Amino acid sequence: QVQLVESGGGLVQAGDSLRLSCAASGRTFSRYAMGWFRQSPGKEREFVAALSWSGVFIYYADSVKGRFTISRDNAKNTVYLQMSSLKPEDTAVYYCAATIKEWSTDPRAYAYWGQGTQVTVSS
């Protein structure tokens, strides 16, 4: 079992940066691949970034590639999403998730989810 709690969301202006954190409970955090997803009103949950448990595999959605960076600190049981050059279209609730698979972009592969944190980017 893994419990996830996101933090770091907020209201920013276009072009600003923001770092989201996801704190995980449990001693086996390092065995899980982690992902970030986002969801806007009226839209399906969208893949943002994923990081394998080993840290070897990192994958980004095309819409955030070059602007967002996913990382993890297994000693702190935390995964991060550094977001730069934010755009209004990045506005969404951001969720972190954990999967026992090595990594995946499919939300159905993730068994554990946080409650989400709101990111709003004004133009």
Side-chain angles (χ1 to χ4, degrees):
Q1 280 279 15
V2 177
Q3 292 184 325
L4 305 172
V5 179
E6 302 96 335
S7 62
L11 172 63
V12 296
Q13 293 187 331
D16 285 351
S17 298
L18 204 59
R19 188 177 80 160
L20 305 183
S21 299
C22 174
S25 65
R27 295 174 292 177
T28 59
F29 170 74
S30 61
R31 294 169 57 184
Y32 289 86
M34 301 298 296
W36 284 97
F37 294 80
R38 65 188 182 186
Q39 189 166 20
S40 304
K43 295 186 177 181
E44 293 188 354
R45 193 162 295 189
E46 173 190 25
F47 168 76
V48 175
L51 176 63
S52 66
W53 63 265
S54 65
V56 172
F57 297 105
I58 300 176
Y59 195 80
Y60 296 98
D62 287 343
S63 59
V64 306
K65 201 172 294 182
R67 300 188 299 122
F68 290 11
T69 302
I70 187 173
S71 62
R72 67 190 299 162
D73 185 338
N74 287 340
K76 296 182 177 179
N77 279 12
T78 302
V79 63
Y80 304 97
L81 185 69
Q82 177 68 48
M83 305 185 294
S84 302
S85 301
L86 282 162
K87 305 175 181 180
E89 51 263 44
D90 294 319
T91 295
V93 177
Y94 283 72
Y95 299 89
C96 71
T99 177
I100 199 65
K101 297 182 181 293
E102 187 164 24
W103 69 283
S104 178
T105 64
D106 186 346
R108 295 171 297 180
Y110 291 78
Y112 305 102
W113 292 83
Q115 83 289 348
T117 185
Q118 176 71 47
V119 172
T120 303
V121 184
S122 64
S123 57

